[in-house]
Amino acid sequence: MDAKYITPAVTAFDHEGRVDMEANKRIYQWLIEGGMDGILILGSIGEFFCHPHGREETNDSGSS
């Protein structure tokens, strides 16, 4: 891939502290529509520390 623009993206969480998949989809779509060629998930603000070891997240299909 010959990306010109790559940006870190924040991770949206819901009021219970879970990853908000729909909010994240809107963020990613907004970045793509804004001309980003690539998106760095769990960007540069350290939100990966909010994901405890052993915690399962679901993907788009709803399976673990």
Side-chain angles (χ1 to χ4, degrees):
M1 179 176 168
D2 193 21
K4 187 173 181 180
Y5 299 106
I6 300 175
T7 188
V10 297
T11 302
F13 294 91
D14 66 15
H15 65 280
E16 294 179 8
R18 295 179 301 217
V19 174
D20 188 330
M21 298 301 282
E22 291 305 314
N24 283 294
K25 287 178 189 178
R26 290 191 300 272
I27 291 168
Y28 305 152
Q29 189 61 41
W30 183 80
L31 291 169
I32 292 167
E33 289 172 2
M36 293 298 108
D37 298 315
I39 301 169
L40 178 61
I41 306 300
L42 294 175
S44 63
I45 63 170
E47 61 265 43
F48 54 87
F49 286 111
C50 294
H51 297 280
H53 291 297
R55 180 174 174 184
E56 285 190 23
E57 296 292 337
T58 59
N59 61 26
D60 277 347
S61 66
S63 61
S64 301

